[in-house]
Amino acid sequence: MQTEVEHAAKFWLGYLPDSSVSGEQRERLRQELIGELGARYAGHWNAERPQQGSAYRSISNWRGLDGALAAAARRAQVAVSELEQWLPRDVIVWCDPHTVTYRTGDHGTLFTFYEDKRALLETVKRTVAEKVSRPGSDFVISAYTTPVVIRSADGVEIARRGGPAAAQGVHASPTKGAGDLRRSAMSPLRQVASFRPAVADAAPPRWSAPTS
């Protein structure tokens, strides 16, 4: 959680020009905001289910300055009016396990400010493994981590994703074709994308992600 919270704080502080706060005030504000967000998210952070509690972890200046931003400013002895003046009012940030994303406008595109792709991928693999290993599923995954190997019922390898050849794999029922297996068991990137729709890497039309 620490890494994601630090990136969320960096995002908001990036909108404050150097003329509005001193370097010392900026650092105090950063530390206080990290502390406020960490306290808010305690008990509301599940790395295995990144979207659980996402709305609760959102931060915005949409209809007034977010309480965490205001509290951090007061603790850092920075005028709340400075944040109200410089922070955009139509931006909302979601600080979730492995990702920090933001949206400009009520119907804007979602942009990624920070992402741990490896952690996301491993989370998806574990989630898929748990689902397809439940009773009633016609194939199971015998290992949660990479590599994943798909074999037909007679032991013929159908597909492989990463890792040494000795790794454990997936043993599939002959009732499913190779194409069906690849679509159902080997689509982690599609699953990652489904965590939040319409994530884009291009610059937003109005506000740019802060760089400092």
Side-chain angles (χ1 to χ4, degrees):
M1 178 171 65
Q2 183 70 17
T3 300
E4 291 88 342
V5 167
E6 288 178 358
H7 278 84
K10 178 181 179 181
F11 178 91
W12 287 109
L13 267 63
Y15 284 105
L16 295 177
D18 293 339
S19 59
S20 64
V21 292
S22 67
E24 182 179 350
Q25 286 178 311
R26 183 183 295 273
E27 179 58 23
R28 284 204 309 266
L29 180 58
R30 187 183 77 88
Q31 293 293 343
E32 293 295 343
L33 183 54
I34 289 173
E36 288 289 336
L37 295 178
R40 173 189 287 186
Y41 299 161
H44 298 272
W45 192 270
N46 188 343
E48 295 301 313
R49 292 176 173 80
Q51 290 306 289
Q52 183 177 323
S54 183
Y56 177 82
R57 292 189 299 270
S58 63
I59 317 159
S60 73
N61 188 24
W62 195 268
R63 293 181 177 85
L65 194 63
D66 188 280
L69 291 167
R74 286 191 290 267
R75 289 178 178 273
Q77 297 182 338
V78 173
V80 174
S81 60
E82 290 290 343
L83 274 64
E84 292 173 334
Q85 176 182 354
W86 294 108
L87 299 187
R89 294 188 179 276
D90 57 351
V91 169
I92 183 168
V93 173
W94 288 272
C95 184
D96 298 325
H98 318 311
T99 61
V100 177
T101 54
Y102 67 100
R103 187 186 69 201
T104 302
D106 198 15
H107 303 288
T109 301
L110 197 74
F111 297 94
T112 301
F113 185 70
Y114 163 79
E115 182 179 61
D116 185 343
K117 293 182 179 180
R118 176 172 295 183
L120 276 174
L121 186 59
E122 290 301 322
T123 299
V124 168
K125 287 178 181 177
R126 287 192 293 271
T127 300
V128 172
E130 291 168 0
K131 288 182 179 180
V132 301
S133 299
R134 291 172 183 167
S137 175
D138 55 1
F139 66 100
V140 298
I141 294 179
S142 59
Y144 283 176
T145 56
T146 55
V148 175
V149 180
I150 296 180
R151 299 181 186 276
S152 62
D154 56 3
V156 177
E157 182 174 318
I158 298 173
R160 175 184 296 271
R161 292 295 186 276
Q168 297 293 322
V170 178
H171 297 273
S173 164
T175 60
K176 283 200 173 189
D180 294 330
L181 288 171
R182 280 191 288 269
R183 282 192 294 274
S184 57
M186 299 305 302
S187 302
L189 294 180
R190 184 185 305 172
Q191 294 289 333
V192 170
S194 70
F195 281 162
R196 197 182 298 284
V199 173
D201 293 324
R206 181 177 175 187
W207 296 101
S208 299
T211 58
S212 61

